Amino acid sequence: MDNVKQVIHDADKVLMHTYNRYPIVLDHGKDMYLYDINGKEYLDFTSGIGVFALGYNDQDYNMALKEQVDLLLHTSNLFYSEPTVMAAKKLAKASAMDRVFFTNSGTEAVEGAIKLARKYHYKKTGNSGGEIISMDHAFHGRSMGALSVTGTKKYREAFEPLIGGVKFAQFNDLDSVKALINNTCAVIMEPVQGEGGINPSSSEFIKGVRELCDKEGLLLIFDEIQCGMGRTGSMFAYQSYQVKPDIITCAKALGCGVPVGAFAAVESVAAAFEPGDHGTTYGGNPLVTTAVSKVFDIIDSKNILDNVKVMGKYLSEQLNSLAKDYDIIKEHRGMGLMQGLEFSIPVKDIIAKALDRGLILISAGSNVIRFLPPLILEKKHIDKMIQILKESM
Ligand SMILES: *Cc1c(COP(=O)(O)O)cnc(C)c1O
């Protein structure tokens, strides 16, 4: 057996079968490209599902991590470390939040945000059981808490009962949110739904939800795990809507490759947590928070947000003209470098053909191709992607 067959054979025996993987064994990456163990090159328009905002193997980023590896990886949260505090300051400043809790994943960030909302409600009202309103087609993760607020029934069904008191409204329909308010403590939503099919909030909806939360005394949680960290052209998507949440969740591109997430909140909400209310062994360790700080520095020093705006516009024009030329494309949606094409047919075969031609794409649901390229991309990468996509359709 060759190496590829061997790895796939072994993986099928030893890994739990929770993913259908492509028969490709990846080995290394550089900037916009990934290479498999036979040296075949792939243009990556997924960033490893929204993670590699800076592309592969940024040298500044790698050096910072290498230096930290030789200093200290982990401290436990019983002590202070400088990288943790530095990263928290940068995240708080960039998000206009006051206090940060670092986690090891996006799912855990959502768990923490839910716990904080419940604790806040408990302190305020003296009652537990504050209800949470989430949205249809929302994706917030796979643990029991995060799954409870994930708006896709097929992900939830086999694992019920999940946490109670969760209701689902229609995304972009304010009346459907109003209709669910009861003993509610929070509304959770993605400003731009990712996994659910690249659905940006309308400006009226997101502003309307904020006003409703203010009026009813509810907390507003924005899950920016996929749409945050510059992806839509501002550091966080809510900033382009000029709406501020009470709690945010963040992960994926927060660490650009190391497993790190965070939830952050404004002071009055964060104050609901007291020592003992929440914890994590690894969360915010010096290694991952060194990465977080470096990511913020590089986004700034390389003017990444400007690039997202310029390239986002170009990508949008190109996808729009594709949508006009091909009848099988129903709609084009998105913001910045988070865009999608909805087809009238399943996109699985198109993605497989593109992969043969050296382009990595990802779906969002069965009929949407999602475009989440590294934020460092240039025009020539978009042109190449469009060319391969056309051949694959
Ligand atoms: C990916 C994602 C999550 C889950 O993050 P993990 O790191 O996979 O646990 C939650 N919310 C959104 C919006 C996501 O895109």
Side-chain angles (χ1 to χ4, degrees), residues 49 104-108 110 139-142 190 192 194-195 223-227 249 251-252 370:
I49 318 191
N104 310 295
S105 68
T107 296
E108 287 168 83
V110 171
F139 184 81
H140 297 297
R142 305 293 202 138
E190 299 151 87
V192 183
E195 162 96 20
D223 181 343
E224 292 252 1
I225 289 168
Q226 193 162 150
C227 61
T249 61
K252 294 204 164 95
R370 177 164 38 151

Side-chain angles (χ1 to χ4, degrees), residues 144-198:
M144 296 302 268
L147 188 59
S148 303
V149 290
T150 286
T152 306
K153 200 162 186 273
K154 78 163 192 247
Y155 291 160
R156 295 198 308 267
E157 214 161 36
F159 305 99
E160 286 168 353
L162 298 169
I163 66 166
V166 178
K167 290 173 173 167
F168 293 94
Q170 302 291 316
F171 194 65
N172 278 339
D173 176 353
L174 191 59
D175 286 337
S176 76
V177 183
K178 278 184 194 155
L180 295 179
I181 292 176
N182 185 20
N183 176 33
T184 311
C185 70
V187 175
I188 183 168
M189 61 179 276
E190 299 151 87
V192 183
Q193 288 189 334
E195 162 96 20
I198 309 292

Side-chain angles (χ1 to χ4, degrees), residues 306-343:
D306 289 342
N307 194 54
V308 175
K309 288 189 189 101
V310 175
M311 290 302 133
K313 185 162 177 285
Y314 185 65
L315 176 63
S316 181
E317 288 161 5
Q318 300 305 304
L319 294 179
N320 251 329
S321 88
L322 268 193
K324 285 202 186 85
D325 292 348
Y326 289 80
D327 287 344
I328 51 170
I329 302 175
K330 269 172 65 183
E331 200 182 21
H332 165 233
R333 302 188 285 265
M335 271 169 79
L337 290 174
M338 182 170 185
Q339 300 197 30
L341 287 179
E342 182 172 345
F343 286 70

